[in-house]
Amino acid sequence: MLHYLSPDVVDGVVAAYRDVLAPGSHLFMTSLVDTGLPQQQELARITRENLEEGWARTPAEIEAQFGDFELVEPGVTYTALWRPEGPVDPDHLAPGEQLGMAGVAIKRR
């Protein structure tokens, strides 16, 4: 849950975690996302105000946290699009479905 890690510690914390995982391990991460949508930015602001934590990251910033791990399809995407049980129209997600992204990756070596 990357959104609980401040920008000044996230890289070191996640890198340390990746380093101790055994080859073949899977790493799952979620985060509040910021693609420029006002509702995303508002949720991050409310989270920080109420929990004193809550940083939204761009999709590229989330993906970068996987380092050299191999992303599993569909990669880093909105949680509503990560292997849904039924059909989901990616062009018509509800506002709540656009607040977070997730990804899974495998450590190959």
Side-chain angles (χ1 to χ4, degrees), residues 1-4 28-32 62 66 79 100-103:
M1 297 179 53
L2 294 177
H3 47 270
Y4 291 115
F28 170 70
M29 287 190 266
T30 62
S31 182
L32 294 175
I62 298 167
F66 286 101
T79 54
M101 287 192 161

Side-chain angles (χ1 to χ4, degrees), residues 31-44 78-81 88-101:
S31 182
L32 294 175
V33 67
D34 183 357
T35 64
L37 295 174
Q39 66 263 27
Q40 295 166 336
Q41 295 165 345
E42 180 68 3
L43 179 62
Y78 289 115
T79 54
L81 300 176
V88 176
D89 182 352
D91 296 323
H92 294 94
L93 295 176
E97 295 174 318
Q98 298 176 21
L99 298 176
M101 287 192 161

Side-chain angles (χ1 to χ4, degrees), residues 39-52:
Q39 66 263 27
Q40 295 166 336
Q41 295 165 345
E42 180 68 3
L43 179 62
R45 183 192 64 75
I46 291 168
T47 303
R48 272 194 307 280
E49 285 179 3
N50 290 292
L51 300 176
E52 298 180 9

Side-chain angles (χ1 to χ4, degrees), residues 54-95:
W55 290 268
R57 294 184 164 79
T58 67
E61 290 171 327
I62 298 167
E63 188 170 325
Q65 292 303 321
F66 286 101
D68 64 352
F69 285 30
E70 181 181 320
L71 283 167
V72 174
E73 287 296 323
V76 174
T77 190
Y78 289 115
T79 54
L81 300 176
W82 222 101
R83 304 222 177 146
E85 291 187 17
V88 176
D89 182 352
D91 296 323
H92 294 94
L93 295 176

